[in-house]
């Protein structure tokens, strides 16, 4: 997935192609696809395994031909087969071919940091890091929209649990492998790791022991993820998570650590850079600030839809891509703080969901009275949506509704025509949340919410956003908070010990005392809001309406365009709060128009 090299392998019924972003062993020895010395096994690999040196010593690989992790992963598989996947600490997606057994294994990392898409038909199995490659492998063609996934996408702006909007294409789930038997044609998917299994064991150490162990595991994770043959930098926002990574990285980085923070000309919130400067001074880093200009945002939106190969509903991919472009001119590897909120309980909902029963009772009384709230539609809408999420006893449904900006009572399906509405609504958009919540239902409710976020929102929204936006700029982002040893340990701690009294990130803050400045640990969380609603009202208005009109000409009868236009007019005049829904429709029409998406079987 990078610009530094190209390779291919042709075997009996198997073709592997690779585009390299050189991070470890920049020489020809690190080229891929890579073969074992006897030629039996071949690997095509994306990502990083951070414990490859320890694994090489453990498996007594004294005769390595390269200094990269790819060879160690390949030889570990040659020695231990699929059991080797459990030994890998890192972010990865790879394929291995056994030429003797005539089998191929596709593997994805535990938390879903790296993507792996799969398509199967009568011609065989195709796989790739990006969806667009699957069409190239098929000899061309255009996407057919998967109606069964549209309902879920309408609520979340992404598809969940391996679904995609491309009919016949799915994503291998985190922690899973796909075994393909060329002789029998059998394809079997199995899990080598499940977060729900890690959460079944209860951590019973003392509070002091848990705090000390958390500190050690995070320190180890950062130290491991500094391994690279190219410069590694840290994106320092000034918040708790990035400050923790900076502090630990500064301890282990050879020489002076380089950090970056960014200022955005479209951020009307608090500027994080002053606090980032103080953290950088505290840790003694070589600190740089970059200025991000959102002037060409219309062009960037279209580019991001292309990079995601799908309409992506989180507008935060735009500043992330712009940031990666600038930092990428100076470094190939960035450490970021993603995952800290999900692992340690950094969101308000982890505390408030403890009062689900009380809020459920309140909803029945208060919801009919929401018309008496202040005139601002946005205030009423958010209040109704939040209380409405707590209506009913289904905790999985509550978690699902808390993570969408859409309110089922407001009828988001109305953006589609009547016929398509009937097709789309057959699929339950909240089914994946329900299944994930059921798998951890034995835990306290705060832990359940955190674990469900790690299983759903993190891989399907946040990690996809990070991977696509940064790899588009040929930058590799590493996320130490998602080191699986750290995640396994924290997942087994009762939520009342991680967040006593609902105090967000209490455990992490205690582990960081004396390492990260108190002003960061005890200061307010500085938010960053992408002003996509303002863009839609102003600079993107013509682009939004043009794509809507083009879609209607090319695909009449799919969207209820007059309804969308009415909602857009109300939104521009401040009479309704539908910015998230309209942003999704904008991305959807861009995807359909530019990728020539079909909605009917040919």
């Amino acid at each position: 997935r990078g610009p530094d090299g190209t390779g291919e392998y042709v075997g009996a019924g198997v073709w592997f192609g690779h585009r390299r972003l050189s991070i470890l062993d920049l020489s020809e020895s690190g080229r891929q696809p890579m073969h074992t010395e006897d030629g039996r096994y071949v690997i095509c690999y994306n990502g990083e395994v951070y414990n490859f040196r320890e694994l090489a010593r453990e498996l007594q690989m004294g005769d390595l031909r390269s200094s990269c992790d790819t060879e160690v992963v390949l030889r570990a598989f040659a020695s231990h087969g699929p059991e080797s996947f459990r030994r890998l600490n890192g972010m990865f997606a790879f394929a291995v071919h056994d030429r003797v057994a005539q089998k191929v294994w596709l593997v994805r990392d535990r938390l879903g940091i790296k993507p792996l898409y799969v398509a199967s038909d009568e011609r065989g199995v195709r796989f790739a890091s990006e969806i667009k490659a699957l069409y190239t492998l098929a000899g061309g063609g255009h996407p057919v929209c998967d109606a069964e996934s549209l309902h879920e996408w309408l609520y979340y702006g992404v598809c969940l649990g391996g679904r995609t909007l491309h009919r016949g294409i799915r994503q291998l789930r985190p922690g899973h492998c796909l075994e393909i038997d060329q002789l029998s044609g059998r394809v079997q998917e199995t899990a080598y790791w499940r977060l729900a299994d890690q959460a079944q064991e209860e951590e019973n150490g003392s509070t002091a022991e848990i705090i000390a162990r958390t500190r050690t595991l995070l320190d180890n994770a950062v130290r491991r993820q500094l391994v690279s043959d190219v410069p590694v930098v840290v994106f320092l926002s000034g918040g708790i998570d990035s400050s923790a990574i900076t502090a630990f990285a500064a301890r282990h980085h050879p020489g002076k650590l380089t950090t970056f923070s960014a200022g955005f000309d479209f951020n009307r919130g608090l500027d994080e850079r002053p606090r980032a400067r103080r953290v950088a001074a505290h840790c003694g880093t070589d600190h740089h600030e970059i200025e991000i200009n959102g002037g060409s945002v219309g062009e960037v939106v279209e580019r991001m839809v292309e990079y995601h190969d799908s309409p992506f509903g989180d507008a935060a991919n735009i500043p992330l891509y712009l940031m990666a472009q600038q930092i990428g001119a100076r470094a190939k590897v960035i450490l970021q703080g993603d995952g800290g909120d999900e692992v340690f309980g950094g969101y308000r909902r982890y505390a408030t969901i403890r009062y689900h029963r009380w809020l459920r009772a309140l909803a029945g009384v208060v919801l009919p009275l929401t018309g008496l709230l202040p005139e601002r539609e946005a205030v009423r809408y958010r209040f109704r949506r939040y209380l409405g999420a707590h209506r009913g006893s289904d905790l999985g449904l509550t978690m699902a509704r808390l993570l969408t900006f859409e309110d089922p009572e407001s009828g988001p399906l109305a953006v589609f025509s009547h016929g398509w509405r009937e097709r789309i609504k057959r699929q339950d958009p909240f089914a994946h949340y329900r299944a994930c919540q059921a798998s951890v239902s034995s835990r306290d409710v705060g832990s359940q919410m955190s674990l469900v976020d790690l299983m759903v929102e993190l891989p399907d929204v946040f990690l996809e956003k990070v991977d696509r936006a940064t790899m588009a700029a040929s930058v590799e982002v590493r996320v130490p908070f998602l080191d699986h040893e750290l995640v396994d340990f924290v997942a087994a701690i009762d939520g009342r010990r991680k967040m006593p009294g609902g105090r967000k990130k209490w455990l992490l803050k205690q582990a960081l005392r004396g390492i990260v400045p108190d002003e960061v640990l005890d200061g307010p969380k500085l938010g960053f809001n992408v002003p996509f609603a303002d863009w839609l009202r102003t600079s993107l208005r013509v682009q939004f309406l043009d794509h809507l009109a083009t879609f209607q000409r090319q695909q009449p009868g799919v969207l209820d365009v007059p309804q969308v236009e009415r909602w857009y007019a109300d939104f521009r005049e401040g009479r309704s709060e539908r910015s998230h829904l309209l942003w999704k429709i904008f991305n959807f029409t861009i995807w359909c128009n530019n990728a020539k998406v079909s909605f009917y079987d040919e």
Side-chain angles (χ1 to χ4, degrees), residues 386-439:
Y386 177 77
L387 268 188
H390 289 279
R391 181 185 286 172
S393 58
D394 186 338
L395 197 55
L397 178 59
T398 293
M399 293 178 183
R401 291 186 58 176
L402 285 173
L403 267 297
T404 174
F405 289 98
E406 307 307 331
D407 183 358
E409 280 73 35
S410 71
L413 266 173
V415 298
F416 289 96
S417 66
H418 176 74
W420 273 85
R421 220 175 298 161
E422 293 303 308
R423 292 180 62 181
I424 293 167
K425 71 181 184 183
R426 295 172 197 160
Q427 187 255 340
D428 178 6
F430 310 125
H432 186 54
Y433 269 98
R434 285 188 168 110
C436 290
Q437 184 272 328
S439 72

Side-chain angles (χ1 to χ4, degrees), residues 262-271 273 290-298 300-301 315-323 326 527-535 538-539 583:
F264 301 88
D265 67 351
F266 48 77
N267 181 19
R268 297 175 184 172
L270 296 173
D271 189 349
R273 285 174 293 176
I290 55 178
E291 295 284 345
I292 305 296
N293 188 310
S296 59
V297 69
V300 177
V301 175
N317 60 356
I318 293 171
L320 185 58
Y321 169 69
L322 295 172
M323 182 197 77
Q326 287 213 26
F528 176 76
N529 295 312
V530 182
F532 67 92
D534 289 343
W535 292 337
T538 55
S539 60
W583 182 258

Side-chain angles (χ1 to χ4, degrees), residues 1 108 111-115 117 129 131 153 156-164 166 171 304-314 317 320 338 456-472 482:
R1 301 178 69 199
R108 192 173 179 211
L111 277 303
I113 303 169
K114 285 296 174 185
Y117 293 96
S129 296
I131 291 175
W153 172 86
Y156 298 102
V158 295
C159 299
L160 309 176
R163 288 180 179 271
T164 76
H166 298 252
Q171 185 156 203
M304 296 315 301
V305 173
E306 180 186 357
Y307 292 147
H308 283 272
D309 294 313
S310 293
F312 187 72
D314 186 351
N317 60 356
L320 185 58
D338 300 274
V456 184
E457 188 176 35
L458 192 74
D460 291 332
V461 182
F462 294 147
L463 292 177
E464 173 171 343
K465 172 184 66 184
V466 170
D467 178 83
R468 306 311 185 278
T470 56
M471 287 300 286
L482 297 182

Side-chain angles (χ1 to χ4, degrees), residues 1-281:
R1 301 178 69 199
D4 301 325
T6 303
E8 64 178 307
Y9 155 72
V10 182
V14 175
W15 182 86
F16 287 172
H18 189 266
R19 294 277 295 168
R20 187 182 183 198
L21 180 66
S22 302
I23 302 296
L24 290 166
D25 193 340
L26 311 186
S27 73
E28 287 298 297
S29 299
R31 284 194 65 178
Q32 293 191 51
M34 186 178 288
H35 305 245
T36 52
E37 199 161 353
D38 62 5
R40 175 172 177 175
Y41 299 97
V42 186
I43 189 170
C44 189
Y45 165 72
N46 175 36
E48 304 291 345
V49 166
Y50 306 117
N51 65 331
F52 76 99
R53 289 180 179 139
E54 299 93 316
L55 195 54
R57 288 193 294 269
E58 180 186 330
L59 300 180
Q60 300 180 340
M61 300 179 190
D63 55 343
L64 291 172
R65 294 171 292 163
S66 71
S67 60
C68 68
D69 53 339
T70 307
E71 184 180 2
V72 174
V73 173
L74 177 60
R75 291 182 58 173
F77 182 86
S79 301
H80 296 277
E83 285 298 313
S84 64
F85 305 152
R86 296 185 176 90
R87 297 172 179 259
L88 307 179
N89 182 309
M91 55 178 190
F92 49 82
F94 62 85
V96 175
H97 182 212
D98 181 340
R99 301 174 67 175
V100 174
Q102 295 188 55
K103 289 184 177 181
V104 173
W105 286 264
L106 306 180
V107 191
R108 192 173 179 211
D109 65 63
R110 293 168 179 82
L111 277 303
I113 303 169
K114 285 296 174 185
L116 183 53
Y117 293 96
V118 182
S120 303
D121 56 31
E122 68 281 353
R123 293 170 291 181
V125 179
R126 303 186 303 280
F127 65 92
S129 296
E130 298 182 7
I131 291 175
K132 61 175 65 69
L134 297 177
Y135 290 101
T136 301
L137 290 169
H142 300 288
V144 177
C145 187
D146 182 48
E148 292 186 358
S149 300
L150 271 173
H151 203 184
E152 194 172 64
W153 172 86
L154 189 64
Y155 276 90
Y156 298 102
V158 295
C159 299
L160 309 176
R163 288 180 179 271
T164 76
L165 283 184
H166 298 252
R167 185 182 299 175
I169 296 176
R170 63 191 178 89
Q171 185 156 203
L172 187 63
R173 289 175 291 173
H176 281 67
C177 66
L178 197 70
E179 181 180 328
I180 306 160
D181 190 318
Q182 294 176 259
L183 297 175
S184 67
R186 183 168 170 262
V187 178
Q188 182 179 17
E189 184 173 339
T190 56
Y192 67 88
W193 182 90
R194 287 188 179 92
L195 180 61
D197 294 339
Q198 315 308 313
Q200 298 310 313
E201 297 291 328
E202 192 68 44
E203 176 56 53
N204 293 315
S206 69
T207 298
E209 289 170 338
I210 287 174
I211 291 171
R213 181 67 175 152
T214 298
R215 183 186 303 116
T216 297
L217 286 171
L218 182 55
D219 187 26
N220 290 344
V222 175
R223 174 182 51 79
R224 266 194 294 263
Q225 296 194 22
L226 287 170
V227 61
S228 174
D229 291 331
V230 296
V232 178
V233 304
V234 176
F235 181 65
L236 174 59
S237 69
I240 293 173
D241 301 332
S242 66
S243 298
I245 291 170
T246 300
F248 286 122
R251 290 181 172 185
H252 301 293
H253 190 270
K256 201 166 192 177
L257 178 71
T258 300
T259 54
F260 287 89
S261 63
F264 301 88
D265 67 351
F266 48 77
N267 181 19
R268 297 175 184 172
L270 296 173
D271 189 349
E272 297 177 315
R273 285 174 293 176
R275 195 159 75 176
R277 281 180 218 129
R278 293 192 290 273
V279 173

